[in-house]
């Protein structure tokens, strides 16, 4: 049984994340989407809100579960008997940080592979940061976040 973890902040989930989830789900038996509890980073959405939105999104897939985690990703991966970590890479600019993180995780857990997936080109510039900025200024989020979550994300970002 192949298990992959797709970790991230997902603050909030974007169409780019959703694209990666759908690609990763096909490659493994079990995919765990894991939202990091990061006390150092102030977030627009609470971890509970992010987990709830992701859980709704992945509900058509029986092999995809959503949860949150504290601490080191490699420890969470070990606890869940994961074979690999999934990360999305949109552009070369993502690569340096992702490469360093993958190598550091490999140092900590040599048997845990990092697998990079590319989302559709049209999501290359889509990021949670832009979603937060555009949403908080009343901009259109139609091409940026999953349709079924759009209204909730718009409302939440507008009210702060
Ligand atoms: O969506 P993000 O913010 O790019 O995701 C980053 C994330 C959550 C994958 C990364 O910060 C992480 O794994 N944090 C957990 C702490 C950890 O393991 N740090 C060592 C990384 S080398």
């Amino acid at each position: 049984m192949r298990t992959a973890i797709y970790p991230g902040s997902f603050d909030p989930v974007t169409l780019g994340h959703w694209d990666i989830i759908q690609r990763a789900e096909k490659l493994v038996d079990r995919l765990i989407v894991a939202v990091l509890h990061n006390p150092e980073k102030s977030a627009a959405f609470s971890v509970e809100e992010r987990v709830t939105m992701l859980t709704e999104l992945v509900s058509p897939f029986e092999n995809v579960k959503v949860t949150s985690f504290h601490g080191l990703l490699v420890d969470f991966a070990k606890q869940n008997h994961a074979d690999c970590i999934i990360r999305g890479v949109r552009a070369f600019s993502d690569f340096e940080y992702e490469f360093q993180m993958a190598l550091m995780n490999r140092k900590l857990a040599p048997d845990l592979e990092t697998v990079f997936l590319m989302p559709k080109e049209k999501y290359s510039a889509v990021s949670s940061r832009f979603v937060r900025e555009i949403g908080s200024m009343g901009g259109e989020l139609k091409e940026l976040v999953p349709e079924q979550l759009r209204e909730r994300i718009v409302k939440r970002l507008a009210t702060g």
Side-chain angles (χ1 to χ4, degrees):
M1 171 127 154
R2 291 259 154 224
T3 299
I5 295 186
Y6 180 32
S9 303
F10 304 104
D11 185 35
V13 61
T14 67
L15 281 175
H17 294 131
W18 182 217
D19 179 288
I20 296 293
I21 290 170
Q22 291 171 88
R23 285 173 200 282
E25 167 279 321
K26 293 194 192 84
L27 301 176
V28 293
D29 302 302
R30 188 168 69 122
L31 178 67
I32 303 172
V33 180
V35 179
L36 175 69
H37 272 275
N38 189 353
E40 282 169 24
K41 211 165 154 185
S42 74
F45 294 81
S46 70
V47 170
E48 292 70 28
E49 285 175 306
R50 286 179 262 162
V51 168
T52 302
M53 286 194 286
L54 280 160
T55 304
E56 280 180 35
L57 199 59
V58 306
S59 61
F61 296 119
E62 278 198 1
N63 59 334
V64 185
K65 294 282 167 278
V66 181
T67 187
S68 60
F69 73 105
H70 294 265
L72 284 179
L73 176 58
V74 292
D75 290 340
F76 177 75
K78 211 174 289 172
Q79 284 154 20
N80 287 279
H81 310 285
D83 302 284
C84 66
I85 295 166
I86 302 282
R87 290 290 287 172
V89 179
R90 294 161 298 186
F92 280 120
S93 51
D94 282 339
F95 197 73
E96 190 166 349
Y97 168 66
E98 293 298 335
F99 190 69
Q100 286 173 357
M101 192 157 68
L103 288 181
M104 197 48 73
N105 281 330
R106 179 181 283 167
K107 227 184 246 301
L108 297 170
D111 295 334
L112 186 66
E113 295 296 342
T114 298
V115 176
F116 295 118
L117 297 178
M118 289 177 295
K120 275 193 192 117
E121 305 86 287
K122 65 177 177 179
Y123 301 135
S124 295
V126 176
S127 68
S128 296
R129 183 165 66 88
F130 285 146
V131 166
R132 293 194 299 273
E133 192 169 311
I134 294 166
S136 66
M137 295 177 182
E140 179 56 72
L141 295 183
K142 201 169 187 166
E143 308 280 314
L144 305 180
V145 298
E147 188 55 33
Q148 63 267 50
L149 301 174
R150 182 156 58 100
E151 213 178 298
R152 200 178 323 172
I153 292 173
V154 165
K155 265 196 197 142
R156 186 69 176 65
L157 289 172
T159 55

